[in-house]
Amino acid sequence: MFTGIIREIGSVEAVDSGPDGARLRIAAAFGHELADGDSVAVDGVCLTATSYGDGWFAADAMNQTLSVTTLGELEPGSPVNLEPALRAGEPLGGHLVQGHVDGAGEVVAAEDDGFARRIRVALPEDLRRYTVEHGSITLAGTSLTVAGLTDDGVEVSLIPETLERTTLGAAGAGTRLNVEVDVMARYAERLLSFERKGG
């Protein structure tokens, strides 16, 4: 489980791709804090650290993950948002994030709005119904509040802290972002479907 509060921007050091998937080696200052089997969200995708050391960790991404998320587009030098898994007793600063990416959205516009920056993101049609104004959404692993709804997706407003501490500060038109909708919306839909069926 994660919170969507990015710990640091890491950098892809190597990508070893093959027919069975890809192994990513990522520079991360907290690499020495990891233990066997620890989870790390990489641009919002929950991966298991397979090896780690001082300033780095490695993780495997299976073909399913590569096809649904933007991880298949990574190459050496790519910056990535990183968040280690939430530990018992730590504050929940964002919202409950599973690291189970639902799909990829695309930035269609970005413009300054005072000291903030407002970006509009087109979402896959099947994910739009899970978004509500002032609700939560995770983009590239970052917990954000939906500032507005559009015909093709959402708008979010990024404060200077978010612009500085995540890769979203460099996101412009055409940037693809991993999207995880609020899991509570999915549970609500599921429960309502059973009520309608009388199950």
Side-chain angles (χ1 to χ4, degrees):
M1 190 67 70
F2 306 92
T3 68
I5 303 300
I6 301 304
R7 172 82 168 269
E8 67 176 273
I9 298 176
S11 177
V12 176
E13 293 185 332
V15 179
D16 184 12
S17 299
D20 298 324
R23 172 161 289 186
L24 306 173
R25 181 181 164 109
I26 298 173
F30 61 80
H32 67 283
E33 301 174 17
L34 298 174
D36 291 340
D38 275 1
S39 296
V40 180
V42 179
D43 271 353
V45 183
C46 179
L47 298 178
T48 300
T50 56
S51 55
Y52 47 87
D54 188 15
W56 67 275
F57 72 93
D60 294 331
M62 60 185 175
N63 288 327
Q64 168 71 9
T65 301
L66 297 173
S67 66
V68 174
T69 73
T70 63
L71 295 191
E73 303 166 18
L74 296 177
E75 55 189 25
S78 295
V80 285
N81 290 326
L82 300 176
E83 181 191 358
L86 181 68
R87 299 184 188 278
E90 290 183 336
L92 181 62
H95 72 283
L96 292 177
V97 176
Q98 294 183 298
H100 302 163
V101 169
D102 295 299
E106 183 173 320
V107 176
V108 294
E111 59 184 19
D112 292 335
D113 181 16
F115 59 70
R117 187 162 178 79
R118 200 170 178 97
I119 64 173
R120 182 158 60 91
V121 182
L123 302 178
E125 186 174 0
D126 62 330
L127 298 184
R128 296 174 200 162
R129 67 178 181 270
Y130 300 114
T131 60
V132 295
E133 194 167 14
H134 304 147
S136 296
I137 192 168
T138 307
L139 299 177
T142 308
S143 172
L144 297 169
T145 300
V146 176
L149 300 176
T150 65
D151 290 340
D152 60 355
V154 297
E155 283 190 348
V156 294
S157 190
L158 310 177
I159 62 173
E161 180 76 4
T162 303
L163 294 171
E164 181 180 345
R165 296 179 61 86
T166 76
T167 61
L168 295 178
T175 301
R176 282 169 37 85
L177 304 172
N178 290 322
V179 178
E180 181 183 332
V181 297
D182 189 351
V183 68
M184 299 305 292
R186 286 194 174 278
Y187 280 128
E189 180 183 58
R190 180 70 169 165
L191 288 170
L192 288 172
S193 71
F194 274 98
E195 285 188 8
R196 286 193 295 268
K197 295 175 183 176

